[in-house]
Amino acid sequence: MPKTSYNVQPLRTKKELDDMKWSLRRFCFERDYYLFLFGINTGLRISDILALQVKDVKENVHIRVVQKKNQKVRIVKIGHFGNYTKDYIKGMADEDYLFASRKGKKPISDTQAYRALVKAGKMIDRDDIGTHTMRKTFGYFHYKRHKDVATLQQIFSHSTSAITKRYMGVFARPLEKVYSIVF
């Protein structure tokens, strides 16, 4: 059973990202590597990612996603990793799922995606990796780069900026720094 989003953490450094990518390529399938790449670059929920078909991303810079959780439409930029997408979908039919199961014509399940990410995480000594890691990593790096919680709050459909910060594991000031200010 997948862990809740509260147990998983974002990857916070380039080294952590590189380690995870290496592990996915080494111990999992290319599909799982691309799933991770797609997730950390879009911030979409796993349920929305797994529903995508090749025709949704083929030759597109942006994709239109109707989010399953709240039925809101989101336009997501994918052009910045388009060359990898082109290589990944080469030879696939437009009607194929982007993250197809090896059994039948359906996409992998969210449990299968979770297992691949957990496996790759364990190989780099991480026990806090899950499907929400991709979304949280997207948010964490966006926040570090732009300091724009309001946009992330909108992307994640959170009701408050405090929820968004807590979700990404970003806190205003570590407690150690608060206590060291006195002296």
Side-chain angles (χ1 to χ4, degrees), residues 67-94:
Q67 298 177 88
K68 288 187 176 196
K69 185 172 182 177
N70 57 22
Q71 302 306 305
K72 291 182 181 180
V73 174
R74 208 171 129 207
I75 305 300
V76 180
K77 182 179 179 182
I78 62 167
H80 55 293
F81 60 100
N83 286 337
Y84 191 81
T85 298
K86 286 178 187 175
D87 290 342
Y88 176 75
I89 64 173
K90 193 174 285 183
M92 295 171 78
D94 285 355

Side-chain angles (χ1 to χ4, degrees), residues 18-32:
D18 289 344
D19 288 349
M20 187 66 176
K21 288 186 217 176
W22 172 85
S23 185
L24 282 161
R25 278 211 148 140
R26 175 79 168 88
F27 300 108
C28 300
F29 298 105
E30 191 68 14
R31 173 198 67 203
D32 305 323

Side-chain angles (χ1 to χ4, degrees), residues 137-149:
T137 299
F138 167 84
Y140 183 85
F141 277 92
H142 182 280
Y143 176 76
K144 286 298 185 186
R145 182 174 295 129
H146 303 289
K147 303 291 190 229
D148 183 4
V149 177

